[in-house]
Amino acid sequence: MSSSDPATRPEPDAGRPYDAVVVGAGFGGLRMLHELRGLGLRTLVVDEAEDVGGTWHWNRYPGCRTDSESWYYCYSFSPELEKEWQWSERFPAQAEVADYLRFVADRLDMRRDIRFGTRVDAAEFDDDANVWRLRTDAGDEITATYYVAAQGILSAPYLPDFPGIDTFDGEVLFTPRWPHDRDLDFAGKRVAIVGTGATGVQLVPVVSRTADHTTVFQRTATYVVPSRNHVLEDVQRIELDRDRDAMWKRTELHPMALPYPPSAGRLGVDLSDEERRRALDAGWERGTFRFMFEMFDDMMTDPEINKVVADFVRDKIRSIVTDPETAELLCPDDHGVGSKRPPLGQHYYEAYNRDNVDLVSVKKTPIQEITPRGIRVGDQEYEVDVIIFATGFDAVTGGFTRVDVRGRSGASLAQRWADGPETVLAMAVDDFPNFFMVLGPQGPYAILTVVIEHTAQWIGQAIAAAREAGTDRIEARPDAVSDWNQEVLDAVAPTMAVRGSESWLFGANIPGKARVVQQYFGGFHTWLEKIREESAAGFPHFTLGAKTGAASDPARRAS
Ligand code: NAP
């Protein structure tokens, strides 16, 4: 049965509130549905797309694949699912991840609780009725006691306002809204790629393989580490299966939720130049994020050590890219390693050795306009047939604030976060009772599938705690929000990341957006400990069962 078959689509809420509504049917939303079903809650999931997948539904540009390894880029709540699903590669391509999420949805018969093709535009908390009222683009209202926003951190695409974009005679493509209805063939075409973040880095080698000519427009060069992707052999799968339980346990101890040793176990400052070089060579051969995060424990705190790593990558770029001018343009010179979210590449730098690939730096001279024939930079016009924009997202907060969410005071989440997001442990906000977020702002900078798993469990526990206390109302306390905000600020202070970062991690890629740390850099393991303490103690930083204004009424607190 197809996802858009009316028989699979839940009827609009005919007046009776759902126990819970979840917005988003990606990794987070599906996991949340499973959790809420487990609590016996009548739950509806709503998604704008026509199928499950979330980010893996929309981002189907050529070369799109995970840069987390497949064996932990998946759910851990069901040993059966883990056994049934076999990944084909270390870093699976978009289609395989989308298939995986379809497999989970079908295997757990989730589609009957999902309404596809419906965008939620607004949500308002009705204090008297203790329900959330969600307005959809179809003009109807969905009501539910609990509202879980599961849009994720990268769901609001960002396309800069380039003058003349509508005048272009060729085809304009935007990676997070890649066409679903046709295969694109770049053979014989001159293609422009704008943007060299993780998306652009995946596009360049693949598009340039078939395009007649590819011109890459780069504003900021990044440190791209080789992914060393490979197919998974049966023998590796057997090993991975055997290790599965221990692997998930290891993720709980790691600052980034990786199933690897939590620390490099060495300080760059203690090593000789030769020892550092040996470590860097070995790390480069192994590739993956481990190159960055397991190199030296002082890489993010000691600028000298960070520079050692940065110089090493710059040398690698110069040794791979044969044209010295192009190599220099590809060498990052304005930020340290790790202060932007690092991309993983598969033959990225090598692609610039092709005769049909050019790199244009738009750092000093920005893109001035899009013309009918191409892209103008300064007084030079680059004529192309296709422009691909890989210009990123209004990350972390954008997916949540795109919905006009209003709490019990009537103030919106967007207003509330105008100077930067504030949450308790990335999952709740005061003034927004019964509202939870999966991958909300101020959450750990870590492997998202693992964060989702623990977030869903915790939200389930919070709702269960309210119910056990004989109520269907739970709200974060304002002091808890300020406390977590302070912890988030304190955690980022000692790291390199805080220094001059122009990254989406700090909201810096969106004109006019508050420049403030959007994620928690104190480590996934620390966050996990804190959320576990909170639930084990009966949610002391929340008010259970109180109506408006009761957050300051201690007699009505559960603890
Ligand atoms: P991004 O990292 O924000 O990169 C956007 C690119 O567009 C940057 O190179 C940016 O330059 C450029 N850009 C933006 N405005 C521009 C302008 N006006 N003129 C010229 N260039 C402009 O976005 P992304 O590449 O889509 O990646 C976002 C995040 O998505 C990643 O960090 C990652 O977390 C996730 N992602 C993951 C995967 C994966 O798992 N494999 C793949 C893709 C993305 P500046 O750097 O100068 O701003």
Side-chain angles (χ1 to χ4, degrees), residues 61 65 67 154 196-199 202 219-220 340-341 390 392 504:
Y61 57 85
R65 57 179 65 245
D67 51 20
L154 296 159
T196 53
T199 301
Q202 291 186 328
R219 191 166 62 183
T220 307
K340 279 182 173 247
R341 198 277 205 183
W504 60 258

Side-chain angles (χ1 to χ4, degrees), residues 368-386:
Q368 194 178 316
E369 61 172 338
I370 308 299
T371 68
R373 286 182 306 193
I375 297 181
R376 185 184 300 285
V377 179
D379 49 18
Q380 182 148 4
E381 186 182 29
Y382 295 87
E383 291 188 18
V384 292
D385 305 303
V386 179

Side-chain angles (χ1 to χ4, degrees), residues 263-296:
S263 133
R266 63 185 165 216
L267 293 174
V269 74
D270 291 342
L271 305 180
S272 67
D273 288 350
E274 207 184 305
E275 286 166 328
R276 285 183 201 148
R277 178 70 199 203
R278 267 207 302 275
L280 286 159
D281 278 335
W284 187 262
E285 283 317 307
R286 190 170 53 188
T288 79
F289 289 143
R290 297 177 73 179
F291 172 81
M292 308 265 179
F293 301 113
E294 285 181 19
M295 190 48 63
F296 307 120

Side-chain angles (χ1 to χ4, degrees), residues 515-529:
R515 289 198 178 198
V516 53
V517 62
Q518 299 200 96
Q519 294 205 279
Y520 173 61
F521 285 85
F524 167 77
H525 58 315
T526 315
W527 172 83
L528 184 62
E529 219 174 273

